[in-house]
Amino acid sequence: MSLSTISRVLIANRGEIAVRVVRACAELGIETVAVFSEPDREALHVRLATMAIPIGPANPSESYLNGEKLIRLGLEAGCDAVHPGYGFLSENADFARAVTNSGMVWIGPSPEAIEAMGSKTGARTIMEAAGVPVVPGTLGPSKDFEALAAKANDIGFPIMLKASAGGGGKGMRLVQSMDELERAWDAARSEAAKSFGDDTVYLEKAIICPRHVEVQVLADTHGNVIHLHERDCSVQRRHQKVIEETPCPVLQEDTRQAMCAVAVQAAKAVDYVGAGTVEFLLGDDGSFYFLEMNTRLQVEHPITEMVTGVDLAKAQIWVAMGHPLKWSQEDIEVTGHAMEFRIYAEDPSAGFLPAPGLIQVYREPCGPWIRVDSGVYAGFEVPIHYDPMIAKLVIWGRTRDECIERSDRALREYRIVGIKTPIAFFRHVLKNEEFRSGVYNTSFVTRELLDEVKGEQNPELAAVVAAIAQYRSDHAPKAKGKAAEAESMWKKDARFRGVRRWS
Amino acid sequence: MSLSTISRVLIANRGEIAVRVVRACAELGIETVAVFSEPDREALHVRLATMAIPIGPANPSESYLNGEKLIRLGLEAGCDAVHPGYGFLSENADFARAVTNSGMVWIGPSPEAIEAMGSKTGARTIMEAAGVPVVPGTLGPSKDFEALAAKANDIGFPIMLKASAGGGGKGMRLVQSMDELERAWDAARSEAAKSFGDDTVYLEKAIICPRHVEVQVLADTHGNVIHLHERDCSVQRRHQKVIEETPCPVLQEDTRQAMCAVAVQAAKAVDYVGAGTVEFLLGDDGSFYFLEMNTRLQVEHPITEMVTGVDLAKAQIWVAMGHPLKWSQEDIEVTGHAMEFRIYAEDPSAGFLPAPGLIQVYREPCGPWIRVDSGVYAGFEVPIHYDPMIAKLVIWGRTRDECIERSDRALREYRIVGIKTPIAFFRHVLKNEEFRSGVYNTSFVTRELLDEVKGEQNPELAAVVAAIAQYRSDHAPKAKGKAAEAESMWKKDARFRGVRRWS
Amino acid sequence: MTYEVTLGDTVFSVSVEATAEGYLVGVDGKEPHQVDFRELDQKVWSLLMGGRSYEVGLQQDGEEWSIDVYGVSHQVSAVDPRRKALRLAGGSDQGLLKTAMPGRVVRLLVAEGDSVAKGQPIIVVEAMKMENEMKAPTDGVIKNIRVEEGQAVEAGAALILVE
Amino acid sequence: MTYEVTLGDTVFSVSVEATAEGYLVGVDGKEPHQVDFRELDQKVWSLLMGGRSYEVGLQQDGEEWSIDVYGVSHQVSAVDPRRKALRLAGGSDQGLLKTAMPGRVVRLLVAEGDSVAKGQPIIVVEAMKMENEMKAPTDGVIKNIRVEEGQAVEAGAALILVE
């Protein structure tokens, strides 16, 4: 098999994952072409890429989801490959096919593999045929509400509605009773359409309080498939992961081996190429159910990188060129423990409601074994149009305990002013006995934890700060309204700093 | 042996190493007390520590070198231990003794070990007695210029003048001929006095173009001593390290083992406790000479941390409490390759002249396997009074090649405006064939490399930027002088960003 | 100067006096402390108080100060009691539905004149691919709908009045 | 508007015209390009030009612009040629020793009236624990010493005049 040249990559994405791809390419000496919608002109991926091209208005369907335009712009810019990131068009087989047909290299699995695994219902069939247990539920996705309601009645509530093309909790709804079904169905379809351009939804029996464990696989075009062990993603809110860790603290070694073997088997079943993730629900008794396979780089891939030393984004590009994998299964060793904290622009104390806005102050934690994959900076306005995840804090420790204590240290250093984030909430999770023990499940993020966060206030300190701030505001030299005062105070201080230089 | 409680640590230092100690303590649940001189009120270590206390005027002898005051303030603040960092009082046996006598725990080796190894000439004697080869030179340090000149004549030029209490290139001078000796002697003594509070200087034969290789050791109070392999520190300017890497790319395995064994032997010879470094000169033929032992945490300790997974700063505190080491020699494995780039406030194109000043913009590189240990931030004024090192960029790669390509990527992302730094110079070093081959020595940083850096300009781009900037300045709405114009332009843009939010 | 400082249900009386080194601040009549208060980044302040070092985020938010202490936010107002009398009492807005989340109105589930029960979903606002179904704050009749489908709304914007 | 832009020995003629999307910029009579020029952080600008993305640091430095391109600094002046005639030619300062490094004068090695040879050390300035021995810029007599021992000096400050 001949090798493909990749010298300039179109990145069909935005945010931190676009930045991640820019970095991987830069290390390989490959140029990158960023695309940006109107509100993203000043986004970090635009700043860091070699080239940057406007792609259209804010609405994703007119910009990051416009496959035809992406391909045209990629060709015009002289790209020889396309990296889709995650979300948007990353699991769209038609786009993958169009990219390949355009003569550019698609950095991902074949359209056939995406189709086989991308349809959650199709993947269930394949896995059932291979003897892997799956969650009971409907097999054929339906656009007919009456049929769906009948099926829900058959299986019995609670049921879970899921977007057929989905992932990341989008288009997903837990439904407790028939009363709620129609509204949930509308909402799930509407979200699914916006997120994936496909409003097909299916249902399955809701398994309450399982653990969510997934296996990273990596495959080349020469038939080699390896796994890079598991990740535990059980800390979720609104069916979306918020903290991930590896290794899974409760997984028995024999279950780990069985799960990893199944994941490799799943990848081989569809001639998988590139980085992929096989997701499972893990029961208390060590039984596990196939959930779905994500046929792209996963948000939480960095924790696997931290414990294995393998750069997954670079490996994707390497195998897309047609090279054989640099490592055999025996080369993959897990050292230490890693956790990822997803920094969302959202307010945990208001039910994790999105909180987009202007980031006034942004200072990342630094120092040993701290990694931040971010798409933002101070002065950037987080747009209302896209996913609320602005950064990922990734921590490595020699042991799980060290990883926890280092995470707490890093979260204390993380300074974001202007938008709400779950940083303080995460510090609470780290103090929680259930989390520290490692024995928790997907129902872990409860109301009690959120109440504790509110209780952590330091009212006397805040009162002192407010009183001083008000005093400064009241005594500012020229009163032109509060905002102008704050601004002028700041400039005075800045000038003072300048003057003081030679004192 | 009973354990000591450490619950609040006085950090007798400033800059990035004070921040490093704050982080280590935070992860161990230990409070920290920062001290700050007048220009350091807003320094990063003050921001991050639990407590912060003014220590005196800018002049180090009245602040960070004032041992008596440090101990008094530490006791008043309720500290039960003192961490000295590196430089300042870290290798001052009298200070170590005074700390111990005050009832606080000294986080470092015993005063006796510091004395034995801290005096470079004394250490030479110990090592010679142990049969380890040392560089030929004078044995007794002298304050008598005539005696020194006579000795220099005996040994023959070139000779190297070195501060007896020294380290880090301070108080060090290469002298080519008798003409230069007196001025060099004055300068070396003056620098030594300022840096270490001791103007004793000795001389030895200058070994031209060796490699500088050192071994990290770690010892506890129970007699256990382990090594954490070597670091190569041959890329230097003005006898000061600028880039370090581990493993040493040219070290043969048998030499590595011999060198590490000698290092452990050296530590055992003085009943060493804590983290220490044994420095060697390495010849082309694999022969090596003992240079000195640094009885404290070394600037470049992070590269050892990156390849071994051991947190050396935390290990120091752990053994200072009286615990046995957590690891035996067999637990220490080296994975991958790491490099450190010292970010100095200095101008490589002006002979690495110090360039203190106000940091206007400061953005660190991020992403996989990038670590920045920094003492600064945007808006901080780098004082003229202290060491010019403001940060350390530390990179890990699975191989040396990956480490190099990742380093280049990180240096491109590193954005510092307001002061000069060697960032562009480092990117040149990374492109240099000699460096890439791994076969280089301490004479590596040559005039030619610096000329290349100047050649890397992009004049046409700069011309376009200057013309647009001038145009904006000339057409700014209200002309109140250039500075005010720039400021008002900025605010206009900021407001524009605010307004655009809902478009 | 002494301020009446309010955080949720808690009220402090805080005296502030400027000094050469910073501010002398007393809380609820206790002995005043010296506070060293420095602006670092544009909206981050360093406080040294009683030997302890704090970093706080500070933004003015209407009549309140929004203060971030290590990721935990505090909404605080500091009022000179002598001026307090001048303030007008705000009207009750119990039946007014406001959005905490900025975003876009995707669906109106009611029309003016409809009767609604407290807790009944009446409008859907979307941001960042998430739909937020908002419920009637009280039993009553839809008096006034202040937004239309597709409209962008800022945080705090009034959407629907139920009476 | 067309500027005469000077970088060391290189001179460009650069035309600039404001447009709705940014600036139309032409260099040395070549066809003008559209340049999208946005301020990000306070002194960092993002440029999109010919499809390529650049980040540059920009500071005004007297009559010049100090421009940082990925760590490489450029000192550039952009002058409207019509105004150029108004400028006065500066006097020669060949014999004037200036310090590039800010710091503190630690030792004067000469007195006014001394004869010195070019390259002879005449003053020592220190910053960040490093002593910088500075040499006579030309043969001559020490005409004027403008600093004293212990004095702090800024970057660019004149120290000693040799004539």
Side-chain angles (χ1 to χ4, degrees):
Chain A
M1 188 177 271
S2 70
L3 294 182
S4 304
T5 302
I6 296 184
S7 60
R8 187 178 291 168
V9 171
L10 180 83
I11 303 173
N13 217 303
R14 66 177 299 281
E16 71 83 20
I17 192 61
V19 172
R20 177 72 188 89
V21 177
V22 168
R23 287 174 172 150
C25 290
E27 293 182 16
L28 294 169
I30 295 171
E31 293 197 331
T32 44
V33 179
V35 293
F36 59 91
S37 69
E38 280 164 18
D40 271 343
R41 162 63 184 88
E42 296 175 13
L44 193 56
H45 71 291
V46 174
R47 296 174 63 167
L48 295 179
T50 325
M51 300 178 67
I53 304 174
I55 179 74
N59 192 335
S61 61
E62 297 174 71
S63 50
Y64 301 109
L65 286 171
N66 186 341
E68 206 181 319
K69 189 166 183 186
L70 284 162
I71 290 171
R72 181 165 52 75
L73 291 178
L75 291 172
E76 281 173 15
C79 294
D80 42 26
V82 175
H83 196 300
Y86 53 68
F88 292 127
L89 294 169
S90 62
E91 295 182 280
N92 184 312
D94 292 339
F95 181 62
R97 198 171 280 122
V99 167
T100 308
N101 289 343
S102 78
M104 293 188 285
V105 174
W106 168 252
I107 300 174
S110 68
E112 294 72 30
I114 297 176
E115 265 158 1
M117 287 300 189
S119 158
K120 305 311 172 203
T121 44
R124 287 167 59 101
T125 315
I126 294 171
M127 294 315 285
E128 271 190 314
V132 176
V134 298
V135 181
T138 180
L139 282 184
S142 172
K143 303 216 179 201
D144 170 1
F145 179 71
E146 297 309 321
L148 187 98
K151 186 77 187 178
N153 227 8
D154 273 10
I155 298 177
F157 288 90
I159 61 116
M160 192 69 89
L161 287 179
K162 293 188 175 179
S164 201
K170 296 296 173 200
M172 195 183 288
R173 284 291 186 284
L174 175 65
V175 188
Q176 298 286 359
S177 68
M178 190 58 85
D179 295 355
E180 300 173 9
L181 188 61
E182 188 161 3
R183 238 186 0 259
W185 155 260
D186 282 344
R189 283 175 62 198
S190 165
E191 259 183 42
K194 273 191 197 97
S195 299
F196 315 109
D198 175 359
D199 72 350
T200 314
V201 167
Y202 70 103
L203 69 87
E204 61 184 24
K205 176 86 185 154
I207 295 190
I208 305 303
C209 302
R211 277 186 95 106
H212 179 117
V213 181
E214 63 189 24
V215 176
Q216 176 71 51
V217 296
L218 201 49
D220 64 23
T221 53
H222 305 268
N224 303 305
V225 184
I226 62 174
H227 70 83
L228 290 97
H229 299 263
E230 84 283 4
R231 293 184 289 257
D232 190 311
C233 314
S234 304
V235 182
Q236 305 191 347
R237 62 104 187 79
R238 253 193 283 124
H239 313 302
Q240 216 166 2
K241 302 164 187 171
V242 289
I243 302 177
E244 299 96 345
E245 64 178 310
T246 182
C248 168
V250 298
L251 199 60
Q252 300 295 318
E253 190 51 37
D254 54 345
T255 314
R256 171 175 291 122
Q257 284 176 19
M259 201 181 260
C260 291
V262 166
V264 168
Q265 189 187 334
K268 284 188 171 161
V270 292
D271 294 327
Y272 199 82
V273 173
T277 296
V278 184
E279 298 192 336
F280 300 95
L281 291 182
L282 174 69
D284 281 349
D285 55 353
S287 65
F288 58 89
Y289 304 92
F290 171 80
L291 206 57
E292 63 184 42
M293 180 167 185
N294 295 316
T295 56
R296 34 86 181 164
L297 201 59
Q298 198 88 327
V299 174
E300 58 271 25
H301 75 275
I303 58 174
T304 298
E305 296 185 324
M306 290 302 101
V307 297
T308 61
V310 170
D311 187 318
L312 289 168
K314 279 158 73 171
Q316 284 188 299
I317 298 167
W318 184 253
V319 300
M321 289 175 175
H323 292 287
L325 282 173
K326 287 184 173 178
W327 316 280
S328 65
Q329 190 63 60
E330 296 69 50
D331 296 326
I332 305 302
E333 276 180 64
V334 169
T335 308
H337 199 96
M339 290 185 179
E340 176 182 270
F341 301 84
R342 298 191 184 190
I343 311 300
Y344 289 102
E346 65 181 22
D347 187 355
S349 67
F352 296 102
L353 217 53
L358 178 66
I359 298 179
Q360 306 259 12
V361 173
Y362 184 78
R363 185 176 159 80
E364 291 171 352
C366 301
W369 296 288
I370 305 288
R371 163 179 172 182
V372 183
D373 280 27
S374 149
V376 301
Y377 56 91
F380 182 67
E381 168 105 23
V382 181
I384 62 163
H385 315 281
Y386 311 112
D387 193 88
M389 199 184 72
I390 58 170
K392 305 181 307 201
L393 173 64
V394 182
I395 312 288
W396 181 91
R398 214 173 154 95
T399 60
R400 186 170 188 266
D401 284 347
E402 187 179 57
C403 190
I404 288 175
E405 64 194 28
R406 186 165 287 145
S407 298
D408 186 65
R409 187 275 281 177
L411 287 162
R412 183 180 189 272
E413 280 184 33
Y414 214 142
R415 201 78 61 246
I416 302 179
V417 178
I419 58 168
K420 298 255 192 335
T421 71
I423 287 173
F425 169 72
F426 287 146
R427 295 188 71 197
H428 257 277
V429 172
L430 292 176
K431 287 194 188 83
N432 179 278
E433 273 314 309
E434 193 179 335
F435 182 80
R436 293 181 85 94
S437 73
V439 187
Y440 57 87
N441 60 44
T442 52
S443 70
F444 173 70
V445 176
T446 58
R447 178 56 43 198
E448 295 83 68
L449 265 180
L450 294 174
D451 287 346
E452 283 175 34
V453 175
K454 287 191 192 167
E456 265 293 288
Q457 289 198 324
N458 190 335
E460 192 162 331
L461 177 66
V464 168
V465 172
I468 295 175
Q470 192 66 46
Y471 181 92
R472 290 172 63 99
S473 176
D474 292 347
H475 294 77
K478 293 167 205 160
K480 312 167 194 161
K482 311 265 161 157
E485 277 169 31
E487 194 99 338
S488 88
M489 280 195 310
W490 174 73
K491 275 191 292 177
K492 202 178 61 179
D493 264 39
R495 257 182 251 121
F496 179 58
R497 273 203 288 273
V499 169
R500 213 178 37 199
R501 179 168 175 180
W502 295 108
S503 66
Chain B
M1 189 175 274
S2 69
L3 294 182
S4 305
T5 302
I6 296 184
S7 60
R8 186 177 291 169
V9 171
L10 181 83
I11 303 173
N13 216 302
R14 66 177 299 281
E16 72 84 21
I17 192 62
V19 172
R20 177 72 187 89
V21 176
V22 168
R23 287 175 171 150
C25 290
E27 293 182 16
L28 294 170
I30 296 171
E31 292 197 330
T32 44
V33 178
V35 293
F36 59 90
S37 69
E38 280 164 18
D40 272 342
R41 162 63 183 88
E42 296 175 12
L44 192 57
H45 70 293
V46 175
R47 297 174 63 168
L48 295 179
T50 324
M51 300 178 66
I53 304 174
I55 179 75
N59 192 337
S61 62
E62 298 173 71
S63 50
Y64 301 108
L65 287 171
N66 186 341
E68 206 181 318
K69 191 165 183 188
L70 284 162
I71 290 171
R72 181 164 51 76
L73 291 179
L75 291 171
E76 282 172 14
C79 294
D80 43 26
V82 175
H83 196 301
Y86 52 69
F88 291 126
L89 294 170
S90 62
E91 295 182 280
N92 184 312
D94 292 340
F95 181 62
R97 198 171 282 121
V99 167
T100 307
N101 290 342
S102 78
M104 292 187 284
V105 175
W106 169 251
I107 301 174
S110 68
E112 293 72 29
I114 297 176
E115 266 160 359
M117 286 300 189
S119 157
K120 304 313 170 203
T121 43
R124 287 166 60 100
T125 313
I126 293 171
M127 294 314 286
E128 271 190 316
V132 177
V134 300
V135 181
T138 179
L139 281 184
S142 172
K143 302 217 179 199
D144 170 0
F145 179 72
E146 296 310 321
L148 187 97
K151 186 78 187 177
N153 227 7
D154 273 8
I155 298 177
F157 288 90
I159 61 116
M160 193 69 90
L161 287 178
K162 293 187 176 181
S164 202
K170 296 294 172 199
M172 195 182 288
R173 285 289 185 288
L174 175 66
V175 188
Q176 297 286 359
S177 69
M178 190 57 85
D179 294 355
E180 300 173 7
L181 188 61
E182 189 161 5
R183 238 183 4 256
W185 154 261
D186 282 344
R189 283 176 61 199
S190 164
E191 259 183 41
K194 271 186 200 101
S195 299
F196 316 109
D198 175 0
D199 72 350
T200 314
V201 167
Y202 70 103
L203 71 86
E204 63 184 21
K205 177 86 186 155
I207 295 190
I208 305 303
C209 303
R211 278 186 94 105
H212 179 118
V213 181
E214 62 188 25
V215 176
Q216 176 72 51
V217 296
L218 202 51
D220 63 24
T221 52
H222 305 268
N224 304 305
V225 184
I226 61 173
H227 70 83
L228 290 96
H229 299 264
E230 83 283 4
R231 293 184 288 257
D232 189 312
C233 314
S234 304
V235 181
Q236 305 190 348
R237 62 102 187 81
R238 253 192 284 123
H239 312 303
Q240 216 165 3
K241 302 164 186 171
V242 288
I243 302 177
E244 299 96 345
E245 62 178 312
T246 183
C248 168
V250 298
L251 200 60
Q252 300 296 316
E253 191 49 38
D254 54 344
T255 314
R256 171 175 293 121
Q257 284 176 17
M259 202 181 259
C260 291
V262 166
V264 169
Q265 190 187 332
K268 284 188 171 162
V270 293
D271 293 326
Y272 198 83
V273 173
T277 297
V278 184
E279 297 192 336
F280 300 95
L281 291 182
L282 173 68
D284 280 348
D285 54 352
S287 64
F288 58 89
Y289 304 92
F290 171 79
L291 206 57
E292 62 185 42
M293 180 167 185
N294 294 316
T295 55
R296 34 87 181 164
L297 199 61
Q298 197 89 328
V299 174
E300 60 271 24
H301 76 275
I303 58 173
T304 297
E305 296 185 323
M306 290 302 101
V307 297
T308 61
V310 170
D311 187 318
L312 289 167
K314 280 158 75 170
Q316 284 187 299
I317 298 166
W318 184 253
V319 299
M321 290 175 173
H323 292 288
L325 282 174
K326 287 185 173 177
W327 315 279
S328 66
Q329 190 63 60
E330 296 70 48
D331 297 326
I332 306 301
E333 274 181 66
V334 169
T335 308
H337 199 96
M339 290 185 180
E340 176 182 271
F341 301 84
R342 298 192 184 190
I343 310 301
Y344 289 103
E346 64 181 22
D347 187 354
S349 67
F352 296 101
L353 217 53
L358 178 66
I359 298 180
Q360 307 258 11
V361 173
Y362 184 77
R363 186 176 158 81
E364 291 171 353
C366 300
W369 296 288
I370 305 288
R371 163 179 172 181
V372 183
D373 280 26
S374 149
V376 301
Y377 56 91
F380 182 67
E381 168 104 23
V382 181
I384 62 164
H385 315 282
Y386 311 112
D387 192 89
M389 198 183 73
I390 57 169
K392 305 181 306 200
L393 173 64
V394 182
I395 312 288
W396 181 90
R398 215 174 153 94
T399 62
R400 186 169 189 266
D401 283 348
E402 187 178 56
C403 190
I404 288 174
E405 64 195 28
R406 187 165 286 145
S407 298
D408 187 65
R409 187 275 281 176
L411 288 162
R412 183 179 187 273
E413 280 184 33
Y414 213 143
R415 201 78 62 246
I416 301 179
V417 178
I419 59 168
K420 297 257 194 334
T421 72
I423 287 173
F425 169 72
F426 288 145
R427 295 188 73 196
H428 257 276
V429 172
L430 292 176
K431 288 194 190 83
N432 180 279
E433 273 315 308
E434 193 178 334
F435 181 81
R436 293 181 85 94
S437 73
V439 187
Y440 58 87
N441 61 43
T442 51
S443 70
F444 173 68
V445 175
T446 59
R447 178 56 44 197
E448 295 83 67
L449 266 180
L450 294 174
D451 287 346
E452 282 174 35
V453 176
K454 287 192 190 164
E456 266 293 287
Q457 290 198 325
N458 189 334
E460 192 162 332
L461 178 66
V464 167
V465 172
I468 295 175
Q470 192 67 47
Y471 181 92
R472 289 172 63 98
S473 175
D474 293 345
H475 294 77
K478 294 168 204 158
K480 313 168 194 161
K482 311 266 159 154
E485 279 168 31
E487 194 100 337
S488 86
M489 280 195 308
W490 173 72
K491 275 189 292 175
K492 203 179 58 179
D493 264 37
R495 256 181 255 123
F496 180 58
R497 271 201 291 270
V499 169
R500 214 176 34 199
R501 179 167 174 183
W502 296 106
S503 67
Chain C
M1 175 77 74
T2 297
Y3 291 99
E4 190 178 301
V5 181
T6 311
L7 255 108
D9 301 334
T10 315
V11 181
F12 297 93
S13 167
V14 184
S15 65
V16 181
E17 191 186 318
T19 67
E21 294 80 32
Y23 300 91
L24 202 60
V25 181
V27 178
D28 287 344
K30 285 179 285 188
E31 186 168 359
H33 276 282
Q34 189 64 43
V35 180
D36 183 347
F37 190 76
R38 303 272 188 110
E39 179 142 13
L40 304 173
D41 291 325
Q42 208 171 331
K43 293 201 163 55
V44 171
W45 295 75
S46 166
L47 255 81
L48 299 186
M49 182 166 63
R52 300 194 87 81
S53 172
Y54 300 96
E55 235 178 82
V56 296
L58 178 60
Q59 288 176 276
Q60 198 158 26
D61 190 4
E63 303 247 310
E64 295 200 314
W65 297 94
S66 176
I67 295 166
D68 175 277
V69 183
Y70 302 109
V72 181
S73 75
H74 304 68
Q75 287 295 123
V76 193
S77 71
V79 180
D80 179 351
R82 293 168 302 182
R83 294 195 201 167
K84 202 187 166 190
L86 297 174
R87 286 198 176 186
L88 294 167
S92 162
D93 53 2
Q94 202 200 340
L96 185 63
L97 181 68
K98 294 180 180 178
T99 175
M101 174 180 86
R104 201 170 289 272
V105 176
V106 284
R107 271 190 306 282
L108 282 164
L109 306 176
V110 290
E112 288 181 7
D114 287 1
S115 287
V116 292
K118 181 176 176 178
Q120 176 184 335
I122 56 176
I123 187 171
V124 182
V125 175
E126 181 217 55
M128 299 179 136
K129 299 194 288 176
M130 182 195 153
E131 298 199 344
N132 185 32
E133 196 181 71
M134 302 183 70
K135 297 172 169 64
T138 172
D139 289 338
V141 172
I142 302 294
K143 179 82 179 175
N144 183 226
I145 297 180
R146 306 191 180 177
V147 291
E148 48 193 56
E149 290 189 356
Q151 184 180 331
V153 287
E154 288 210 47
L159 307 177
I160 296 179
L161 180 62
V162 182
E163 265 188 9
Chain D
M1 174 76 76
T2 298
Y3 292 98
E4 191 177 299
V5 181
T6 311
L7 255 108
D9 300 334
T10 315
V11 180
F12 296 94
S13 168
V14 184
S15 65
V16 181
E17 191 186 318
T19 67
E21 295 79 33
Y23 300 91
L24 202 61
V25 181
V27 178
D28 288 343
K30 284 179 286 188
E31 185 168 359
H33 277 282
Q34 189 65 42
V35 179
D36 183 348
F37 190 76
R38 303 271 188 111
E39 179 141 12
L40 304 174
D41 291 325
Q42 207 170 331
K43 293 200 162 57
V44 171
W45 296 76
S46 166
L47 255 80
L48 299 186
M49 182 166 63
R52 299 195 87 83
S53 172
Y54 300 96
E55 235 180 82
V56 297
L58 178 60
Q59 289 176 276
Q60 197 158 26
D61 190 3
E63 305 246 310
E64 295 200 316
W65 296 93
S66 177
I67 295 165
D68 175 277
V69 183
Y70 302 109
V72 180
S73 75
H74 303 70
Q75 287 296 122
V76 193
S77 71
V79 179
D80 179 351
R82 293 167 303 183
R83 294 196 201 165
K84 201 187 165 190
L86 298 173
R87 287 198 177 185
L88 293 169
S92 161
D93 53 3
Q94 201 202 340
L96 186 63
L97 181 68
K98 295 180 181 178
T99 176
M101 175 180 86
R104 199 170 290 273
V105 176
V106 284
R107 271 190 304 283
L108 282 164
L109 306 176
V110 290
E112 287 181 9
D114 287 1
S115 287
V116 292
K118 181 176 176 178
Q120 175 185 336
I122 58 176
I123 187 170
V124 182
V125 175
E126 181 217 55
M128 300 180 133
K129 300 193 286 175
M130 183 195 150
E131 298 200 343
N132 185 31
E133 196 180 72
M134 301 183 69
K135 297 172 169 63
T138 171
D139 290 338
V141 171
I142 301 296
K143 180 79 179 177
N144 184 228
I145 297 179
R146 305 191 180 178
V147 291
E148 48 193 56
E149 290 188 357
Q151 184 181 331
V153 288
E154 289 209 45
L159 306 177
I160 295 179
L161 180 63
V162 183
E163 265 187 8

